[in-house]
Amino acid sequence: MLNVIQLLPDSIANQIAAGEVVQRPASVVKELLENSVDAKAKSVQVIIREAGRNLIQIVDDGVGMTETDARMSFERHATSKIRSSDDLFRIRTMGFRGEALASIAAVAQIEMRTRRAEDELGTLIRIEGSDIKAQESISCLPGTNLLIKNLFFNVPARRNFLKSNSVEMRHIIDEFQRVALAHPEVAFSLFHNDQEIYNLHAGKLSRRIIDMFGKSYREQLNYCEEQTPYVTVRGYIGKPESAKKARNEQFFFVNNRYIKHNYLHHAVIGAYEGMLPEGSHPFYVLFVDIDPSHIDINIHPTKTEIKFDDERSVYAIMMAAVRKAVGMYNLTPSLDFESDVNFLSGGRATANRPSAPEAKADVPRPITPSWASGDKPAADKPKNERVPLRTESLDKAAGGSFDMPKKPSSNNWQALFKGIDESSDVKSTESVGDWLGPTKAVETAPASEPVESEAVTLGSRANQLQDVSAPVVEDENIVQIQNRYLLATIKSGVLLIDQRRAYERILYDQFHAALTKHNGVSQQLLFPKTVTLAPVDFQLALDLRDDLTHLGFQFDELGQNTFVIRGVPGMTTGENEEELFANLLAQLRADTGRLKLDRAESMARSLARRASQRHITRLSPTERKALVDQLFASSNPSYTPTGESVTTVLSLDKIAGLFR
């Protein structure tokens, strides 16, 4: 019987190994940048064409290589970083496996020029699919110049699985940012299709962060440092108010190597406890310096995973370092006892604005209706009139000027109680006040005459009753609890609705319809706003220009990485236009690698989640009813687009069980 087991040829073995090391063009950029840093380069230039499909060129002024070293560098498991197994526990260089160049050469056409400063001539090597085509002496500058052409030219299946140029370029920029942040003492530049994206000069870490992310980060950077015999933590953290919804500006470096570590991220978030808005992530660039013998980086070919021999100690030191920086720079928000915590809109407190005295639900005191000064009572308005979900009084409470009510005359005190019996809000309070407990944390809002708007229209009550999945609200009086939840009675018990998630579901349906039908409404800005973005987000906006226009955004290029915004979606009025645009792009970039969604779905989800944050606010009885109507007229009133529950039912049996 013939033997069937054979030793694979080097060319095939290299292609198999390339599947782990070279996953996409960004993997090539990462490996070559790390080689340049290990070669003690002071300046590194990256030139990209067609997002790395056609060309990736890395030019550095490092130590260079001899003719023999240049030839040996393309052999598998050939490296200058380690000599024995003990060296694995003393690694401080970026590379050490000796697989990168061999793997790249197996799936691309390579041309390398390299020379040491003390040599008169350099070396030129050409390789195609692991086959050496030429090796000769040439005249070139000191350092190394590597050209990677036609990536995956001999593996068509891998080339076909690459994403669009914008997606692949975003991954390249991510890898470039990580290496550039880890080594601020090295100058880096990045060009794509002859357009300069980054030009970073050598300097301090703070200068590198500002040059990379923009001048707006100058005010939010705060230094963080903690030294112990076991580990040293240093770097910069951002202020809580600058936290963003997208988790894409968090960087950990262990011995100057970028890593992903959810455990350490949890330590940082724990240090910010109570200071971050829900679902927000702070900016940080943190370096961990530790003896290499206490860590293991030989886990995955990408070397982004790491193991500590004492993770708990590193966790505690990391939390202590960040908490110390938070306290040292007075980041902890101070309590303002003059402000009313209920006047919040989209996470923005109105602590520094005058606010009217509030009638608490647990304090029986006279309530002055908004129509006492001459306005028409809301109860007198036609029942079938279409009413928006925001009113003038809410807009004032959310950020506009709030006029203090005039002190009523004591001679006309009976007018204070006029219409109280007809107030639907008081009835709601009395009907549920007994079972809410002694705290009675129910907010009462005076009825006010609504202002005509097209932001969100009322849903059809008939559609709700016809839908078998929608519970029938028996009582028209819907109670609001702590500006976050709505409560309504139904036949089987009590219906609870998460207010923010309800808005997210409604807005998602509207945004998705605008994207698919290309009929988004744009609200023109009286004064156009200018926004400067990170290069990766700037490229993303150019790629998504048509979809953003369908949503209602209108913008034009204005210099490098800068747009002028002339219009925003009509359903997002009242937002900070620059933050809305920038945060949407950041959220889309974060979702691209995590979710397998089409473009319209991802954009509708991201914008709906962003826009729903400002709706954690007080609602009038009319607005509450309108919200419930439109929720049950939506495509799926029970869940948000991301699968979170919007409604829950407390059955009579559950309520009885609470009282045993």
Side-chain angles (χ1 to χ4, degrees), residues 88-92 230-231 253-257 259 261 288-299 305-311 314:
L88 287 174
F89 303 101
R90 296 190 294 265
I91 293 176
R92 287 196 176 273
Y230 177 69
V231 65
F253 299 93
V254 175
N255 293 345
N256 289 343
R257 182 191 306 278
I259 66 165
H261 209 289
V288 177
D289 296 324
I290 190 172
D291 190 322
S293 62
H294 295 302
I295 60 175
D296 183 8
I297 59 177
N298 190 23
I299 298 175
E305 299 179 14
I306 195 170
K307 293 291 185 182
F308 296 91
D309 60 0
D310 189 359
E311 281 191 336
V314 178

Side-chain angles (χ1 to χ4, degrees), residues 427-449:
K427 291 181 180 179
S428 301
T429 306
E430 294 174 352
S431 62
V432 299
D434 295 334
W435 67 270
L436 280 177
T439 57
K440 297 183 181 179
V442 181
E443 297 298 330
T444 60
S448 60
E449 184 174 355

Side-chain angles (χ1 to χ4, degrees), residues 179-188 201-206 208 287:
V179 178
L181 280 176
H183 303 279
E185 73 281 359
V186 181
F188 289 92
H201 301 284
K204 297 181 179 180
L205 176 60
S206 57
R208 176 59 50 89
F287 290 77

Side-chain angles (χ1 to χ4, degrees), residues 49 366 388:
R49 291 192 183 275

